[in-house]
C-alpha cells in the first residue's frame, strides 16, 4: 500500500485531483455572480428547481449552486468561502467525510451541500453534537439559506411536538444527533399519522462526525417506561455497600497459572477491576451480604435482585465519581458526557445503575424502567439515503467509517500552513508534581500576556486546578459542565491576551477561539493538556483549538505516572524502570520509551472501544431486522391502509397452525383429538363446536378448508353488524396497532434478557452471537404469532356498542440515552354508542347513517 501511495499519491490526494476541476469551475463563476442583484441571485433557487424538474441532476447544477451560496454568504455574513471550503463542500455532497483542521470554517462549508441537496425538496438534516451549536449554526448560517429563499428550522431539547414538526418540515433542519434519534423512535410509537414529526431520512450532514458515529456509538438510544419495581432495595444495598471493605486489586490469572491450578488470594469484601469497570464480591463479602439480608445462599435464583443491586451499589461507590461521571443539581443526578464535558439533561444510566447512584447521593430514587424502543446510532444513521460528515480528526478511524458506514475519509488541505508548535509530552512521577509544573508554566506564560487554554478531562480536575491558580493570584475562567450557560462568553474571551481559561472537553468541539493582535505577538494561544484522553482524536481536538488559519500557537500535554491511562494501561515493566531510576521530586522525565508507551496505551483502548462498538452493532443487527418489519407494519396502519386482507390471513393462518398442532399428519380422523382442537380454536374464534359426525369423511386438508370457510363467513357476518365498512376497518387498525405495540415492547425486554445471559453459551463451546440470532429469530416468530392470535381473538369478539379508540400502550414523558421516565397511560372512558345515537364525529346525523369514523 505504501508503494502505491508513493507512486500515485495517498487516497485523499488521488480523490482531490478529481475534485479540483469542479472547484475551478465554481471559482470561475465568481464575477458573474457578483454582478447579479439580490433579487436575481435569489431567483437562482427557482431556476435550479426547474432544471431539476426537467431531468438535470444535482451534479449538473453543483458549480452554479455552490457559486450562488458563496456569493450569498459574502453579502449576508461578509464571509466568502475559501477554495478549500468549496472542496470540502463537494466532498460532503458526494457522501464522504471531509477531514478539515480546526478553524477552517466547517460550519460555513456545510451551507454549500445543504443548499444544493435541499433544492430537491426532500429535506436536509445538519446534525451537530449539542443544542448550543445547533441554535448558533441555524441562527448564523440559516441567514444565507433564508436570503436564497429556503426555509431553515432548528430542533432543541425543550421543543414541543408541534414545534419539532414545523422545524423538520423546513428545507434545512439543524438538530442534535440525540434529538433526531429519539424523534425517530418516538415517531414509531405514535398512534395517529398526524402525530409524526419527522420527514423521510434523505440526507444528513454530520458535524463532528467522529464524535457522533464513533464516540457516542458505544451506547444505544433507549426510550423507556416505568416498571412496577420498588426502589427501597437500592437504599438498603447502599447502606451495606458503605460498610464493606475494598480488597486489594488481584491481577488476572494467565492461562498457564489457570492450568497449573494457581489461585490468587482474595482480601477484603469486594474487588474492583478499574480497567474493565466491574466489581466482584469475595467469599467474605458474600457471607456479609447473606448475614445482612438473612438469606442462606446469595446465588439462589430468588436472590438475584439482591445480588444485582449489591453489585450496582458497589459500582456506584467505586467506579462512578461525582463531578467526573455525573453532577448533582436540583436534587437530581445528571450525567456528564465523557466526550464533550456537557451535562446531558434527562439522560439516565440503564440497568439500575442510575438508581444506585441516586441512593449513594441521597437524592430521590426514581423507579427503574422498561425498554419501550431502542436503536443504535450505527443502524439509525445507516437509514439515511445519503450521509456525509466533517471533523478535524477522522483519519485514525477510517477503517471503522468505511466498514460500518460505507464512508471514506478525504483529508482536505488547510487554507494556510499550520505553524503551531506541538511539544513533546512533559512526564512527571506523581500527580502532585505534574499539577505544580502546570501552575508554574501557566504563571510563566501569563506574565508574558500569552493567552492559555488548559484542557482537563473531568470537572473535578478543572476545579482543583482552579483552586491552585486562585492561591497564586492568577485570574482565570472555568468552563465545565456546571457553568455551560456561560460557554459562548468564556470561549469568546479565551483568545484575548492575558486570558487563562480552564476547560473540560467542552471547548474541544465546535468552538473557535479568535486571537487579538497582542495575543498573536505574545506567541498565540498556548494549549496545556493536563492528561491524555483515551482516544488520540480527543487530544488532537484540544491541540487544534490553537493555530487556526495560520495563527501562531503551541501545545503540550502534562502527564504523571499516576494518571488513569498510565496506571491502567501502561506497561508495568516500564513503570517499575522509572520508579527504580529514583528521579528527584518535581523533575520532568523525558524518554522516547514513555512517548511510545502513551501512544500504545491509547491505541489499546481505541481498539478495545472499536470491539465494543462492533459487538454492539452485530447484536443490534438482529434487532434491526425485526425492528424494520414491525415499524413497516405500524406505518401501514398509520397510513390508513385497509387491514382486511391482513386480518383474513391472520385468521386462516391461525386455523392452519391450530389444526397442525392438534392433529398429526398420519392419524386417521377416528383418532383426531377433537376436544383439544375445539378448546384451542373456540378460545380465539367463536365458531360452532366440531363433533365427530362433522368430520367423519374429511381428510386433514379438507378439515382445514372447512374451518377456513366458516371463519371467513363468520367475519363477513361481523362486518354486516356495522353501519359502514370503514367503521370496522378503523377498529381493525386500532386493535392491530395496540397488539403490535404491547407485544413488541415485551419482545424488546425479552431480547434484552436473552442478551444478558447469552454469554454463558461460550462455556458450552458455542458462539454466543450465533445462539442469540437463532433464539432471537424463534422469539420473533412466537411474537408475530402472538400478535395474530390476540388481534383475531379481539376482532371476532368485538361488539358494536363498544367505543374503540387508538390508545398509546405507553406514554413517553422524557428521552434518555439510557433510560427515560414514562408514565402509564390513563384509560379513556368507555361509552356505549347505539345505532340511533348521535354520531360522535359531530355531524349531527344518527350514528348508523353517518360515515364518520368510529374512533
Amino acid at each position: 500500500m505504501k508503494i502505491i501511495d508513493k507512486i500515485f499519491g495517498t487516497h485523499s490526494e488521488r480523490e482531490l485531483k478529481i475534485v479540483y476541476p469542479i472547484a475551478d469551475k465554481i471559482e470561475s463563476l465568481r464575477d458573474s455572480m457578483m454582478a447579479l442583484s439580490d433579487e436575481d441571485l435569489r431567483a437562482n433557487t427557482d431556476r435550479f428547481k426547474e432544471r431539476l424538474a426537467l431531468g438535470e441532476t444535482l451534479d449538473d447544477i453543483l458549480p452554479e449552486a455552490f457559486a450562488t451560496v458563496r456569493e450569498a454568504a459574502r453579502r449576508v455574513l461578509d464571509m466568502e468561502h475559501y477554495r478549500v471550503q468549496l472542496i470540502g463542500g463537494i466532498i460532503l455532497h458526494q457522501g464522504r467525510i471531509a477531514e478539515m483542521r480546526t478553524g477552517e470554517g466547517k460550519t460555513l462549508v456545510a451551507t454549500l451541500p445543504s443548499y444544493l441537496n435541499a433544492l430537491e425538496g426532500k429535506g436536509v438534516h445538519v446534525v451537530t453534537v449539542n443544542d448550543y451549536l445547533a441554535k448558533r449554526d441555524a441562527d448564523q448560517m440559516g441567514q444565507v439559506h433564508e436570503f436564497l429563499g429556503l426555509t431553515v428550522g432548528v430542533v432543541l431539547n425543550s421543543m414541543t411536538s408541534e414545534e419539532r414538526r414545523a422545524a423538520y418540515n423546513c428545507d434545512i433542519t439543524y438538530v442534535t444527533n440525540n434529538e433526531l434519534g429519539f424523534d425517530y423512535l418516538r415517531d414509531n410509537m405514535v398512534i395517529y399519522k398526524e402525530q409524526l414529526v419527522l420527514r423521510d431520512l434523505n440526507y444528513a450532514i454530520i458535524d463532528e462526525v467522529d464524535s457522533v458515529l464513533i464516540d457516542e456509538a458505544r451506547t444505544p438510544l433507549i426510550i423507556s417506561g416505568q416498571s412496577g419495581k420498588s426502589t427501597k432495595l437500592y437504599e438498603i444495598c447502599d447502606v451495606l455497600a458503605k460498610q464493606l471493605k475494598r480488597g486489594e486489586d488481584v491481577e488476572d490469572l494467565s492461562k498457564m497459572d489457570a492450568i497449573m491450578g494457581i489461585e490468587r488470594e482474595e482480601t477484603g469484601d469486594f474487588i474492583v477491576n478499574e480497567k474493565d469497570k466491574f466489581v466482584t464480591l469475595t467469599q467474605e463479602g458474600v457471607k456479609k451480604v447473606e448475614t445482612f439480608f438473612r438469606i442462606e445462599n446469595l446465588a439462589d435464583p430468588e436472590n438475584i435482585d439482591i445480588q444485582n443491586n449489591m453489585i450496582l451499589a458497589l459500582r456506584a461507590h467505586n467506579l462512578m465519581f461525582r463531578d467526573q461521571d455525573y453532577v448533582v443539581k436540583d436534587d437530581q443526578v445528571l450525567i456528564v458526557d465523557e466526550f464533550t464535558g456537557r451535562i446531558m439533561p434527562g439522560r439516565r444510566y440503564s440497568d439500575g445503575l442510575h438508581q444506585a447512584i441516586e441512593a449513594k447521593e441521597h437524592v430521590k430514587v426514581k423507579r427503574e424502567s422498561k425498554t419501550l424502543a431502542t436503536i443504535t446510532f450505527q443502524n439509525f444513521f445507516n437509514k439515511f439515503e445519503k450521509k456525509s460528515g466533517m471533523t478535524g480528526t477522522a483519519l485514525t478511524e477510517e477503517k471503522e467509517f468505511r466498514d460500518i458506514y460505507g464512508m471514506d475519509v478525504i483529508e482536505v488541505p488547510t487554507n494556510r500552513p499550520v505553524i503551531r508548535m506541538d511539544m513533546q509530552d512533559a512526564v512527571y512521577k506523581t500527580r502532585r508534581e505534574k499539577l505544580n509544573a502546570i501552575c508554574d508554566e501557566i504563571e510563566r506564560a501569563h506574565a508574558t500576556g500569552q493567552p492559555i487554554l488548559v484542557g482537563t478531562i473531568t470537572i473535578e480536575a478543572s476545579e482543583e486546578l482552579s483552586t491552585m491558580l486562585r492561591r497564586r493570584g492568577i485570574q482565570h475562567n472555568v468552563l465545565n459542565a456546571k457553568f455551560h450557560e456561560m460557554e459562548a462568553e468564556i470561549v469568546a474571551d479565551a483568545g484575548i491576551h492575558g486570558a487563562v481559561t480552564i476547560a473540560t472537553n467542552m471547548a474541544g468541539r465546535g468552538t473557535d477561539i479568535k486571537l487579538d493582535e497582542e495575543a498573536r505577538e505574545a506567541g498565540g494561544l498556548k494549549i496545556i493538556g493536563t492528561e491524555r484522553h483515551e482516544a488520540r482524536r480527543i487530544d488532537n481536538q484540544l491541540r487544534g483549538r490553537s493555530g487556526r488559519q495560520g495563527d501562531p500557537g503551541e501545545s503540550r500535554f502534562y502527564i504523571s505516572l499516576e494518571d488513569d491511562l498510565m496506571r491502567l494501561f501502561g506497561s508495568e515493566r516500564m513503570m517499575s524502570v522509572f520508579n527504580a531510576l529514583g528521579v528527584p521530586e518535581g523533575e520532568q522525565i523525558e524518554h522516547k520509551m514513555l512517548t511510545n508507551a502513551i501512544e500504545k496505551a491509547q491505541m489499546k483502548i481505541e481498539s478495545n472501544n472499536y470491539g465494543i462498538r462492533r459487538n454492539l452493532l452485530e447484536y443490534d443487527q438482529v434487532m434491526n431486522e425485526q425492528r424494520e418489519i414491525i415499524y413497516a407494519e405500524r406505518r401501514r396502519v398509520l397510513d390508513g391502509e385497509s387491514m382486511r386482507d391482513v386480518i383474513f390471513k391472520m385468521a386462516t393462518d391461525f386455523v392452519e397452525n391450530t389444526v397442525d398442532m392438534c392433529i398429526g399428519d398420519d392419524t386417521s380422523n377416528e383418532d383426531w383429538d377433537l376436544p383439544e382442537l375445539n378448546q384451542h380454536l373456540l378460545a380465539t374464534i367463536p365458531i360452532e363446536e366440531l363433533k365427530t359426525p362433522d368430520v367423519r369423511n374429511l381428510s386433514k386438508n379438507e378439515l382445514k378448508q372447512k374451518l377456513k370457510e366458516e371463519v371467513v363467513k363468520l367475519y363477513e357476518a361481523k362486518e354486516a353488524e356495522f353501519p359502514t365498512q370503514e367503521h370496522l376497518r378503523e377498529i381493525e387498525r386500532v386493535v392491530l396497532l395496540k397488539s403490535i405495540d404491547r407485544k413488541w415492547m415485551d419482545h424488546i425486554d425479552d431480547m434484552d434478557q436473552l442478551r444478558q445471559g447469552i454469554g454463558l453459551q461460550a462455556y458450552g463451546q458455542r458462539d454466543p452471537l450465533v445462539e442469540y440470532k437463532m433464539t432471537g429469530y424463534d422469539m420473533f416468530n412466537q411474537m408475530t404469532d402472538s400478535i395474530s392470535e390476540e388481534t383475531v381473538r379481539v376482532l371476532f369478539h368485538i361488539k358494536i356498542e363498544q367505543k374503540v379508540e387508538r390508545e398509546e400502550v405507553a406514554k413517553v414523558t422524557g428521552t434518555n440515552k439510557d433510560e427515560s421516565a414514562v408514565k402509564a397511560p390513563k384509560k379513556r372512558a368507555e361509552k356505549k354508542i347505539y345505532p340511533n345515537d348521535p354520531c360522535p364525529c359531530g355531524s349531527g346525523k344518527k350514528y348508523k347513517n353517518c360515515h364518520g369514523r368510529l374512533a
Side-chain angles (χ1 to χ4, degrees):
M1 195 69 188
K2 285 180 180 175
I3 295 168
I4 293 170
D5 287 351
K6 267 188 180 177
I7 299 169
F8 301 106
T10 63
H11 172 67
S12 291
E13 287 166 350
R14 292 194 300 274
E15 293 299 319
L16 286 171
K17 281 175 186 171
I18 302 166
V19 170
Y20 288 149
I22 307 171
D24 294 338
K25 172 74 174 157
I26 299 164
E27 289 188 308
S28 71
L29 295 167
R30 183 175 186 265
D31 292 341
S32 61
M33 290 294 171
M34 285 178 76
L36 295 175
S37 66
D38 284 359
E39 288 72 26
D40 288 338
L41 191 66
R42 198 173 291 119
N44 276 352
T45 300
D46 291 330
R47 280 195 285 272
F48 294 146
K49 287 180 178 178
E50 284 167 18
R51 286 169 62 182
L52 287 171
L54 292 169
E56 286 193 58
T57 66
L58 291 177
D59 290 338
D60 294 334
I61 63 170
L62 184 149
E64 292 158 86
F66 275 31
T68 300
V69 177
R70 190 187 194 200
E71 177 57 23
R74 190 185 69 80
R75 295 184 192 187
V76 177
L77 303 175
D78 197 23
M79 296 162 80
E80 189 171 10
H81 297 77
Y82 299 124
R83 178 180 172 80
V84 292
Q85 290 175 312
L86 299 176
I87 291 165
I90 296 164
I91 289 163
L92 291 179
H93 167 65
Q94 292 172 342
R96 296 162 144 185
I97 292 169
E99 179 176 286
M100 302 179 75
R101 294 288 179 91
T102 305
E104 291 296 301
K106 291 190 286 292
T107 313
L108 187 63
V109 172
T111 57
L112 298 162
S114 56
Y115 171 78
L116 175 65
N117 284 268
L119 294 171
E120 287 188 310
K122 296 176 184 174
V124 173
H125 295 96
V126 182
V127 182
T128 64
V129 288
N130 58 61
D131 277 0
Y132 162 73
L133 291 177
K135 182 151 187 6
R136 183 200 73 181
D137 294 352
D139 289 346
Q140 190 179 17
M141 299 301 151
Q143 295 174 54
V144 177
H145 296 125
E146 284 168 351
F147 174 82
L148 291 171
L150 296 182
T151 54
V152 178
V154 60
V155 176
L156 304 174
N157 183 264
S158 56
M159 285 185 168
T160 63
S161 293
E162 288 73 24
E163 290 169 323
R164 285 168 189 268
R165 192 176 301 112
Y168 283 124
N169 279 328
C170 291
D171 294 311
I172 297 162
T173 309
Y174 287 82
V175 59
T176 67
N177 51 318
N178 288 320
E179 291 305 318
L180 186 59
F182 284 127
D183 282 333
Y184 170 77
L185 290 177
R186 272 189 295 249
D187 268 5
N188 284 290
M189 294 172 69
V190 301
I191 53 173
Y192 290 106
K193 192 177 181 180
E194 298 74 40
Q195 295 171 328
L196 296 170
V197 298
L198 272 173
R199 301 167 75 177
D200 289 340
L201 303 176
N202 175 46
Y203 176 47
I205 300 169
I206 306 165
D207 193 9
E208 306 298 355
V209 67
D210 58 319
S211 175
V212 174
L213 298 187
I214 303 280
D215 296 334
E216 298 209 31
R218 275 157 61 186
T219 321
L221 291 166
I222 298 172
I223 288 183
S224 304
Q226 282 186 354
S227 75
K229 273 189 181 177
S230 166
T231 58
K232 204 73 195 159
L233 188 57
Y234 290 104
E235 291 162 16
I236 297 166
C237 288
D238 184 70
V239 171
L240 179 56
K242 290 174 191 165
Q243 298 170 19
L244 299 182
K245 288 180 186 153
R246 178 173 174 171
E248 291 175 22
D249 294 350
V250 178
E251 289 179 33
D252 292 338
L253 283 173
S254 68
K255 284 183 181 175
M256 185 52 71
D257 289 345
I259 291 164
M260 298 296 289
I262 296 169
E263 292 181 7
R264 299 266 191 263
E265 194 177 327
E266 293 179 335
T267 58
D269 300 319
F270 63 93
I271 294 162
V272 179
N273 183 326
E274 289 184 65
K275 197 184 285 190
D276 296 321
K277 307 275 187 198
F278 66 81
V279 177
T280 47
L281 286 164
T282 61
Q283 284 188 319
E284 193 57 40
V286 169
K287 280 180 193 168
K288 286 187 179 177
V289 174
E290 287 170 347
T291 306
F292 184 86
F293 284 101
R294 296 177 185 173
I295 54 178
E296 285 183 20
N297 185 3
L298 183 63
D300 280 350
E302 61 263 30
N303 298 326
I304 192 77
D305 282 348
I306 294 173
Q307 195 179 339
N308 287 344
N309 283 38
M310 205 59 240
I311 295 295
L312 287 169
L314 292 170
R315 275 179 66 194
H317 279 277
N318 296 279
L319 290 171
M320 307 303 294
F321 302 105
R322 185 170 179 166
D323 290 341
Q324 179 174 327
D325 301 297
Y326 63 89
V327 295
V328 178
K329 193 175 177 184
D330 302 330
D331 202 36
Q332 286 185 76
V333 171
L334 303 171
I335 300 174
V336 174
D337 188 326
E338 64 175 306
F339 300 107
T340 63
R342 287 180 169 82
I343 285 176
M344 302 193 287
R347 305 266 190 88
R348 294 175 67 77
Y349 293 114
S350 57
D351 302 324
L353 180 58
H354 208 96
Q355 285 80 0
I357 296 169
E358 286 170 333
K360 166 191 165 184
E361 296 294 347
H362 304 294
V363 300
K364 187 177 182 333
V365 181
K366 292 180 182 170
R367 285 201 169 178
E368 249 189 275
S369 56
K370 175 184 175 182
T371 302
L372 306 179
T374 177
I375 195 169
T376 59
F377 276 128
Q378 289 101 319
N379 276 320
F380 173 65
F381 279 104
N382 279 338
K383 290 182 185 302
F384 277 88
E385 286 291 314
K386 181 169 81 173
K387 59 189 174 296
S388 60
M390 48 189 180
T391 178
T393 46
L395 221 53
T396 54
E397 313 290 349
E398 184 174 19
K399 184 183 185 309
E400 186 165 349
F401 282 124
R402 201 184 286 272
D403 291 353
I404 291 177
Y405 301 102
M407 304 158 83
D408 60 340
V409 179
I410 307 295
E411 204 174 357
V412 180
T414 55
N415 186 44
R416 292 177 185 164
V418 177
I419 59 168
R420 181 189 68 240
M421 292 185 291
D422 296 330
M423 314 286 202
Q424 279 279 351
D425 294 349
V427 185
Y428 293 84
K429 195 172 172 186
T430 66
R431 191 169 174 278
R432 186 169 54 81
E433 291 169 54
K434 175 187 79 171
L435 291 174
N436 286 330
I438 289 169
C439 291
D440 292 343
E441 183 56 25
I442 291 170
E443 199 166 5
R444 186 199 63 72
H446 184 57
T448 69
Q450 186 177 16
I452 304 158
L453 174 65
V454 186
T456 65
I457 286 182
T458 66
I459 297 169
E460 190 180 28
S462 68
E463 290 180 345
E464 184 181 5
L465 203 57
S466 173
T467 306
M468 292 175 76
L469 290 181
R470 219 176 291 124
R471 286 198 195 114
R472 296 193 184 208
I474 298 171
Q475 201 172 353
H476 61 277
N477 283 318
V478 179
L479 177 63
N480 61 32
K482 286 189 169 181
F483 308 108
H484 63 287
E485 293 87 353
M486 298 147 60
E487 179 172 347
E489 195 182 319
I490 294 173
V491 170
D493 294 343
I496 295 170
H497 69 284
V500 178
T501 309
I502 301 172
T504 46
N505 291 335
M506 284 179 104
R509 289 282 181 187
T511 45
D512 260 1
I513 297 170
K514 292 175 183 173
L515 304 177
D516 61 16
E517 202 47 53
E518 288 137 295
R520 276 193 188 85
E521 287 165 11
L525 184 64
K526 184 183 185 74
I527 300 287
I528 293 176
T530 61
E531 208 171 318
R532 284 282 199 161
H533 197 273
E534 285 185 357
R536 289 168 292 170
R537 285 176 299 102
I538 309 291
D539 293 342
N540 293 338
Q541 282 281 347
L542 179 61
R543 276 204 169 108
R545 296 295 111 203
S546 173
R548 58 181 293 283
Q549 289 295 330
D551 283 344
E554 60 179 281
S555 72
R556 171 171 266 175
F557 281 86
Y558 286 74
I559 292 163
S560 84
L561 299 184
E562 292 177 348
D563 289 351
D564 284 349
L565 186 76
M566 300 303 289
R567 189 169 57 82
L568 299 175
F569 294 93
S571 144
E572 284 181 31
R573 197 171 120 265
M574 185 202 67
M575 297 297 182
S576 55
V577 167
F578 284 107
N579 287 331
L581 286 175
V583 181
E585 188 170 325
E587 190 169 308
Q588 186 178 323
I589 309 167
E590 279 191 31
H591 199 287
K592 194 177 178 186
M593 186 175 162
L594 259 178
T595 311
N596 291 342
I598 293 160
E599 288 274 312
K600 277 182 184 166
Q602 287 180 309
M603 286 165 78
K604 200 187 286 184
I605 298 172
E606 283 170 12
S607 170
N608 186 39
N609 288 342
Y610 174 54
I612 292 169
R613 290 189 294 270
R614 184 97 206 174
N615 191 48
L616 176 73
L617 180 63
E618 284 173 342
Y619 277 94
D620 191 61
Q621 206 57 47
V622 180
M623 279 297 289
N624 194 51
E625 289 161 11
Q626 299 177 0
R627 190 188 297 117
E628 292 286 322
I629 295 166
I630 290 295
Y631 285 179
E633 197 62 31
R634 275 192 108 258
R635 193 57 191 256
R636 284 181 64 195
V637 176
L638 291 183
D639 286 342
E641 283 186 36
S642 170
M643 293 289 120
R644 186 175 189 266
D645 292 344
V646 174
I647 303 301
F648 274 125
K649 188 172 187 315
M650 283 180 171
T652 53
D653 284 354
F654 172 73
V655 167
E656 182 122 5
N657 294 338
T658 307
V659 172
D660 285 339
M661 181 178 70
C662 299
I663 297 172
D665 288 331
D666 52 356
T667 54
S668 63
N669 61 10
E670 288 88 4
D671 300 325
W672 288 353
D673 190 346
L674 291 182
E676 187 190 6
L677 182 59
N678 283 323
Q679 185 185 342
H680 285 288
L681 273 177
L682 271 59
T684 302
I685 302 174
I687 55 173
E688 285 186 27
E689 189 175 334
L690 287 170
K691 297 193 171 80
T692 307
D694 301 332
V695 300
R696 187 163 290 139
N697 300 314
L698 296 178
S699 67
K700 184 177 171 181
N701 284 337
E702 286 168 339
L703 173 65
K704 284 182 182 177
Q705 193 57 39
K706 171 184 161 64
L707 289 171
K708 285 178 186 177
E709 285 169 7
E710 280 187 37
V711 165
V712 169
K713 279 179 190 170
L714 187 65
Y715 199 68
E716 285 171 346
K718 178 69 66 181
E719 285 178 319
E721 292 174 19
F722 288 83
T724 70
Q725 292 278 307
E726 182 50 36
H727 291 157
L728 186 57
R729 297 293 83 84
E730 173 61 9
I731 290 172
E732 287 166 354
R733 288 190 282 267
V734 170
V735 172
L736 185 55
L737 196 64
K738 194 171 180 181
S739 182
I740 287 172
D741 285 351
R742 186 163 53 242
K743 300 291 183 186
W744 174 242
M745 288 169 191
D746 288 343
H747 179 69
I748 291 172
D749 220 35
D750 293 343
M751 290 291 282
D752 198 41
Q753 297 292 329
L754 174 67
R755 171 88 190 274
Q756 301 294 330
I758 204 73
L760 298 171
Q761 294 287 344
Y763 290 112
Q765 305 300 309
R766 292 176 179 174
D767 183 339
L769 181 61
V770 172
E771 293 297 316
Y772 179 76
K773 283 179 180 176
M774 289 167 66
T775 311
Y777 177 76
D778 290 342
M779 285 166 65
F780 184 73
N781 284 341
Q782 287 168 14
M783 179 202 67
T784 52
D785 287 347
S786 178
I787 289 171
S788 297
E789 188 176 334
E790 183 180 278
T791 304
V792 168
R793 184 173 62 251
V794 171
L795 288 172
F796 273 87
H797 287 85
I798 204 155
K799 289 189 170 65
I800 194 164
E801 64 262 28
Q802 290 177 301
K803 181 176 181 184
V804 183
E805 283 191 347
R806 298 194 196 183
E807 186 181 294
E808 289 174 289
V809 172
K811 186 177 177 186
V812 180
T813 57
T815 53
N816 314 301
K817 185 76 175 286
D818 288 295
E819 296 185 347
S820 68
V822 179
K823 290 181 181 173
K826 289 181 182 176
K827 278 207 166 183
R828 303 186 186 187
E830 286 194 358
K831 180 186 170 189
K832 286 189 177 182
I833 300 175
Y834 294 97
N836 289 321
D837 282 352
C839 185
C841 73
S843 64
K845 295 180 185 177
K846 285 184 180 177
Y847 179 72
K848 66 180 179 182
N849 299 327
C850 182
H851 290 265
R853 195 164 56 181
L854 179 63

